[in-house]
Amino acid sequence: MVALVTGASRGIGRACALKLAEVGYDVAVNYNSNEAKAAEVVAEIEKLGRKAAAFKADTADLKAVQGMFREIQKEFGQFDVLVNNAGVVDDAFLLMINEDSLSRSLDINIKGYFHCAQQAALKMIKKGGKIINISSVSSILAVEGQGVYSATKGAVNSMTATLAKELAPRGITVNAVAPGFIETEMIDAIPEDKKEAYIKQIPMGHFGTARDVAEVVASLCSPAFDYVTGQVVVLDGGLSL
């Protein structure tokens, strides 16, 4: 079995790549800029006894994505799972949003997901497969300053449902995971007083981990979830309740 995880050089993408390797997948590790970090993930997967290779591609660039999928097919010979994870967060209040940031968010967080889903579906169309989109609790919870990010993740939820309906007759399931506050580099950069304020909003009283997200992603890729499609699994410790 072969899985592609986009944006897999760090954070949630890295955790998903490693977890899928643990449960028996060979993994294509996509990255856009940090080749060294991607190489580290490949090495960690190989230590787990699975095959891995890194593929550089900006998911917002259709030709780059098409080229990446061709290379994955050559390297691994098959394709079974796509984890659409590559994305950007560029918070700004409405009156402070600039055009370059807006375009970049829309291109990567929406177009990038469509590009990869389209190419994955072409590879899966004869034998089935699984597509997992990484969304966010911000898709259902209003967070000040995240108008653009929330809009892109709301789009991810909508595309998940629509693609699930389109691709179900082909044996392809499409689901999404919507994490809340997850301990990543982004959280590390938040001042301690703000972290404490955020934690107070979470009924479970702590942030989630990238591993928590990866566990859910791996579960959705398992046969136990073969009859589940078009769903958004919210993973936020009760934040959105």
Side-chain angles (χ1 to χ4, degrees):
M1 299 183 292
V2 177
L4 163 64
V5 182
T6 66
S9 63
R10 60 192 178 117
I12 289 172
R14 174 183 175 278
C16 289
L18 293 175
K19 180 61 185 179
L20 288 172
E22 286 179 15
V23 299
Y25 284 86
D26 293 332
V27 184
V29 175
N30 163 258
Y31 71 99
N32 184 33
S33 58
N34 201 327
E35 183 177 3
K37 287 291 185 183
E40 290 177 9
V41 177
V42 168
E44 289 184 65
I45 291 170
E46 290 174 340
K47 286 180 182 177
L48 294 169
R50 305 308 309 179
K51 182 177 179 180
F55 299 87
K56 177 178 171 60
D58 177 357
T59 57
D61 181 340
L62 177 58
K63 288 186 177 180
V65 171
Q66 290 171 330
M68 174 175 67
F69 273 82
R70 284 194 296 269
E71 291 302 311
I72 291 170
Q73 189 69 32
K74 288 179 186 177
E75 182 73 25
F76 294 96
Q78 68 181 80
F79 189 83
D80 304 283
V81 165
L82 165 67
V83 180
N84 252 333
N85 169 73
V88 294
V89 182
D90 195 359
D91 291 350
F93 290 102
L94 176 64
L95 300 183
M96 301 298 290
I97 295 170
N98 68 69
E99 188 66 13
D100 288 343
S101 172
L102 175 60
S103 296
R104 181 168 176 262
S105 293
L106 295 175
D107 284 348
I108 296 174
N109 294 359
I110 301 177
K111 286 175 64 177
Y113 275 38
F114 272 112
H115 290 160
C116 292
Q118 183 183 60
Q119 297 306 305
L122 287 170
K123 301 294 184 187
M124 298 172 176
I125 206 157
K126 291 183 178 179
K127 62 182 182 62
K130 293 177 183 274
I131 297 173
I132 312 295
N133 296 319
I134 303 300
S135 180
S136 169
V137 71
S138 294
S139 65
I140 59 172
L141 183 69
V143 179
E144 292 179 337
Q146 287 201 333
V148 174
Y149 184 68
S150 295
T152 64
K153 292 305 183 179
V156 167
N157 293 358
S158 294
M159 73 173 281
T160 296
T162 302
L163 297 186
K165 199 164 189 176
E166 288 182 13
L167 297 174
R170 300 289 187 173
I172 302 170
T173 63
V174 187
N175 292 291
V177 178
F181 289 113
I182 302 297
E183 291 176 348
T184 61
E185 292 175 6
M186 185 174 69
I187 290 292
D188 291 341
I190 297 174
E192 286 301 320
D193 59 333
K194 281 194 174 183
K195 284 184 187 179
E196 291 176 9
Y198 288 146
I199 287 174
K200 287 179 181 178
Q201 299 176 45
I202 303 171
M204 291 187 72
H206 61 86
F207 295 138
T209 67
R211 178 79 178 192
D212 290 332
V213 182
E215 293 283 356
V216 175
V217 168
S219 295
L220 288 170
C221 292
S222 75
F225 285 81
D226 281 351
Y227 199 57
V228 176
T229 196
Q231 303 305 304
V232 179
V233 180
V234 179
L235 184 74
D236 67 353
L239 176 65
S240 58
L241 297 177

